[in-house]
Amino acid sequence: MLGFLKEPVVVTAEINVNLVALTVMGLITRLWGLCYPRAVVFDEVYYGQFVSLYMKRIFFVDDSGPPFGHMLLALGGYLGGFDGNFLWNRIGAEYTMNVPVWSLRLLPALAGALCVPLAYQILVELHFSHCAALGAALLILLENSLITQSRFMLLESILIFFILLAVLSYLKFYNLQRHRSFSGRWWFWLMLTGVACSCAVGVKYMGLFTYMLLLAIAGLHFWHMIGDQTLSNVSLLCHFLARGLALLLIPVVMYLSFFYVHLALLYCSGPHDQIMTSAFQASLEGGLARITQGQPLEVAYGSQITLRNVLGKPMQCWLHSHTNTYPIRYENGRGSSHQQQVTCYPFKDVNNWWIVKDPGMQQLVVSNPPRPVRHGHIVQLVHGITTRYLNTHDVAAPLSPHSQEVSCYIDYNISMPAQNLWRVEIVNRESDTDVWKTILSEVRFVHVNTSAVLKLSGASLPEWGYRQLEVVGEKLSKGYHQSMLWNVEEHRYGKSQEQKEREVELHSPTQMDISKNLSFMAKFTELQWKILTLKNEDTEHKYSSSALDWITMDTNIAYWLHPTSGAQIHLLGNVVTWASANAAALVYTCLSLWYLIRRRRRIYDIPEDSWQLWVSAGGVCGGGWVVNYLPFFLMEKTLFLYHYLPALTFQILLIPVVLQHLGDHLCRSVLLKSMFSALIVAWFSSVYFVYCTFSPVTYGQPALSMTELKDLRWKDSWNILIRKQ
Amino acid sequence: MMFCAFLGSCLVPFAYLTVLELSKSLPAALLTAFILIFDTGCITLSQYILLDPILMFFLMGAVLSMVKCNSCADRPFSASWWFWLSLTGVNLAGAMGVKFVGLFVVLLVGLNTIYDLWDLLGNLSLSLVMFGKHLLARVLCLIVLPLALYTAMFAVHFAVLNKSGPGDGFFSSAFQSQLIGNNLHNVSIPEHLAYGSVITMKNLRMAGGYLHSHWHLYPEGIGARQQQVTAYLHKDLNNLWIIKKHDSDTADLSDPLSPVEFVRHGDIIRLEHKETSRNLHSHQHEAPLTRKHFQVTGYGINGTGDSNDFWRIEVVGRKTGKLIKVLRSQIRLIHVATGCILGSSGKTLPKWGWEQVEVTCTPYLKETPNSLWNFEDHINPKLPNISLDVLKPSFAEILLESHMVMIRGNSGLKPKDNEVTSKPWHWPINYQGLRFSGVNETDYRVYLLGNPVIWWLNLVTMGLYFLITVCTAVALKRGVQLTYELKELSGVVLRGGGQITLGWLLHYLPFFMMGRVLYFHHYFPAMLFSSMLTGITWDSLLKFCAGFLSPSTTARKVYGGVFLALVLLILYSFYLFHPLSYGMIGPMASDPSSPMAGLRWMDSWEF
């Protein structure tokens, strides 16, 4: 126990100078002149607003991905003491003094710099030579597109860092597997794999691709273990459980914890509230909570309520009526009932108030004690201001002729009786006797006479309906759809029987109390669902591109342009590296096919262990490229060149793999070998040359003259901004 | 109807034979057959004229012959081997010819063949020459033969349908000239273009449209608020344009006495829209969808606009001063002020543009069919009409073009906003059916819905199969010693079941990635596979159990008993649900007095 007294404490440090040097160079290339330009660059305008919202603790929904990446950026802002006061509205806008540009951009730059030593180590763990590993790291180091992307407040470099970290830790874990199972380091790397995977997914959903790849590789390796008869069943089970814990359970828990932190940080209501359900909004400070605070929970006969459509598309709106009637004839010649219009109105208005009435009683006030409305009860809905009854009948709706018109009933004495009984069906009920609850219950109104369901059709009415949204009675209710569900948002117990007093009452704000404990899981599910389903209008961007353009780099993105000097920053890759990476992928595929077919006929061109190396390196690097690239062909969203960068990173790692293989196995004679080395040196210098040539548009300085810019336009499809004098 | 019902009933013996071949077990095959016989969905589908029974007939035919061919593998190049191999090819052609969904079965057969060939390649007793023969035989029967049949089908299609119809506008001028009754068939129109001519311009890209404009403006926020110019696939009066000189008006041209002046290559012209009298115009505003291009609008009043209305007309491969021929000349229009070229991007405009195709002016001077046009109609009373027997497209061109048109049409079937559509995850759980006829209580109603007992049985079996497969695969990998029977059985589960599962996946998963409108009946091909899997799985499961129970009479009793119970269950459920497919009259099922009351097990069913 006191062993350290008997023996001296010895610390032996082993420093790989290669690694240190690479890290330093990575830091230099990524951190040099980080504050320049002191202006909003490209997507900083997008992520910046979220950083500001984090600083102010205002809730938001971003459909582009989970919140971990945003939180990391916000961490930079927090450490730099950013107060969140900056208007992120325009690319190129100068930063004010209160924005800590350096610390905001520091984390992505660090992540980008660390990718260089990671690449080195991945190749070492794949059992390639230090020379090859050094080559891989240098290629990453001199890749202009990766440098540009990591020098600003963007997420890709963080994503790539976590992806590479996950791959590296899995490889380390796998290499420890054979001799030192269940040792401390084994556990460490296994756990780190899971953590890095979940971080990658947490930054951007693109991380899922690499996560899936690692899961598949781990599955394959485990499958080989099953075949290993020397392992007992019990140890096999332990291995399985350990992997399940680290690669499935930990990522899920981590992912949930991102959201937990996200929701814990953002507790104020903000601009995106209205996407969320009323219950969610009520859980945020300010906003709806201020209004609904203190409302009675149970809807009773005589309650005054506003009804919000649950769907919230095309916009949130409340059931509404006003004194105007439907026109007798529509533009297309169809007739209407000419009764009072019922619409869905996207703004708060006194005409959104309805009173729940018991068909059997005349009174419009809540009795004492209140009689709550339950699932299955039949009610009438009385419009507060006009005291007309919500009604539907067999008349075609104005814009959706297959559905019934919904109106507030006016008796014209033309043998068209009122049909104003509605059955309340609580969809998210727990039992059939559930009480209709404010905010929480999602309710369908089923018309008693025609069994039509009150529904928001989504179309907006013409001028006569003031462009408000159409509400119809849907006869063919195709299952559940949120457009048929309504929830009570504002609510109070009505007290005045007289119409005049009631109007005054309707105009006054509500008060009372409601529990606002929405559990974390409920909030998480709702937020997650909104992130996945929220679709921004697909707008084509000036610099958007298709997946096919990336492989040949037919496109670029202009990130920033100096307002006067013409200095500019572009997302442009190192042309030589991109071309070589493509060539490497091609050579790898062809050679593998050749070897495979020959091996099938029992002809072994290369020794078994170098074949294993070849396969595993291809599985990781080539597989990483495939899974990060091909899915984009199936995606319908707007794509940009920077989406290719993770795939590109893997493809670059493939270059030294192929080169070393060629050097080892195809260059048999000494002469060939030395020629090959000379070629590689020449090729490397061309990579460096291209890096230097394009560094002005990578770093944004120095400013180039017009002719110099023209000379940089190596491809006609590149959009380099040349000012006309 | 008779025909489809017959084909539909052929599915049962096909599935029976397939399962028999794969599992070598009569009960398994019988169970599959019972499932297909008594599934209300299959009955409904084959009773009414739809393409699906025909598709499923060919699909099952292909699977059956593939399986048969596999079991002939021990005597390759025998007569029966050739027969089944070529029959597979024939069925593939049939499946592809009915619907594009047939492509999935092609994929299944393709994967199976690759696996097969890989196996043969590893067999060192087979010389490379023999392997080449195998390869060639498969290429011949599974690629050449189906393709030949498929193209032959199209040849017949074009030969039979040689009349003009409502869909003509989707096709190029050359294609249309082959159609009897089309105004381009044996045309007789003025040959050379002249000022004052009324013309239509057709884009040269596959399924490109006519240059079109109408009385609607671009909405607020999308370029300048001027009149829309689009490409429209149908023939329409709004496709007509008048060619004018850029500097003088038409007044003197309409005078019948004035001399005819022809348009020449390199001339600067103005195009006036006939209906609205606005000029074809472009300017440096972003085009609505392709943001890098310029917007094209209709501008000016009664033909008076500005210098942005001037276009230079050029014929591909001609010199300055040459005349321009109708139909034959491929022309491009270059905007004089900005130097961009008039083109159609092929993207569909949103609702405000009536879902017509976007027309832009592209600043990139690339030679693509998108920016090339030809003149199709040409009306000029001052010129003599000449019969032109132009443009004979080759069969390959026609074939390619009709496929482009079909693919475009298919991907155009997008769900409308707010429309409730069937989702692929609904299908295996039988979430919602499809109403075939009848809505009201008094109507004779037919509702396409799978027999829920059968479908849920299929679903449960899928899980069971997964479990069994994992167990057997792990046991084999761990080197557990199995008896001969069990080894046979695990072979059936892994290989036969695997093939069927692959078929199911191939016919189901791709739907998740489709953007078009989907219907419940798209699942039925996959359902066939899942029914076959049910037969195989239950048979193997019971045999496994019997093997563990001891090979006594009790084991056999259990085996028979469970099978009998399953069959009885299927029969009873069919008795319950048969009105779905044979028609229901009377109140809806939500009404307690209906004969179907109590059978509406899911709220989403609407019978």
Side-chain angles (χ1 to χ4, degrees), chain A residues 223-229 231-233 236 311 457-458 476-481 540 542-544 596-597 600-602 634 636, chain B residues 118-124 126-128 289-292 347 418 420 431-432 435 439 473-474 477-479 513 515 603-604 606:
Chain A
W223 183 245
H224 290 313
M225 280 176 72
I226 290 179
D228 183 357
Q229 313 271 339
L231 280 170
S232 71
N233 285 342
L236 210 56
L311 180 65
S457 80
L476 314 168
S477 58
K478 273 217 160 197
Y480 295 119
H481 194 259
E540 203 188 356
K542 191 173 178 195
Y543 289 104
S544 65
L596 258 178
I597 290 176
R600 191 72 190 160
R601 299 299 290 184
R602 310 279 149 74
L634 300 174
E636 285 179 354
Chain B
W118 189 246
D119 222 30
L120 289 174
L121 189 66
N123 183 356
L124 286 187
L126 220 60
S127 72
L128 274 182
L289 299 178
T290 319
R291 289 292 163 86
K292 293 180 185 177
K347 294 173 190 161
N418 261 329
V420 185
Y431 179 76
Q432 198 168 60
R435 192 180 285 106
V439 176
V474 168
K477 188 84 184 169
R478 287 298 284 171
M513 286 181 266
D603 283 339
S604 47
E606 309 140 316

Side-chain angles (χ1 to χ4, degrees), chain A residues 191 245 364 393 449 484 509 574 592 595 624 645 653:
Chain A
M191 292 295 173
L245 171 76
L364 290 177
H393 40 220
N449 298 60
M484 296 176 195
N574 189 322
S592 303
Y595 287 149
L645 294 182
L653 295 187

Side-chain angles (χ1 to χ4, degrees), chain A residues 375-387:
Chain A
H375 171 76
H377 278 193
I378 289 173
V379 299
Q380 287 168 323
L381 288 175
V382 184
H383 186 238
I385 296 294
T386 61
T387 352

Side-chain angles (χ1 to χ4, degrees), chain B residues 408-439:
Chain B
R408 272 183 66 86
N410 204 355
S411 58
L413 294 173
K414 287 264 163 69
K416 298 196 185 72
D417 294 348
N418 261 329
E419 196 180 28
V420 185
T421 51
S422 181
K423 302 265 182 344
W425 63 265
H426 288 172
W427 303 339
I429 54 175
N430 212 8
Y431 179 76
Q432 198 168 60
L434 199 62
R435 192 180 285 106
F436 265 35
S437 73
V439 176

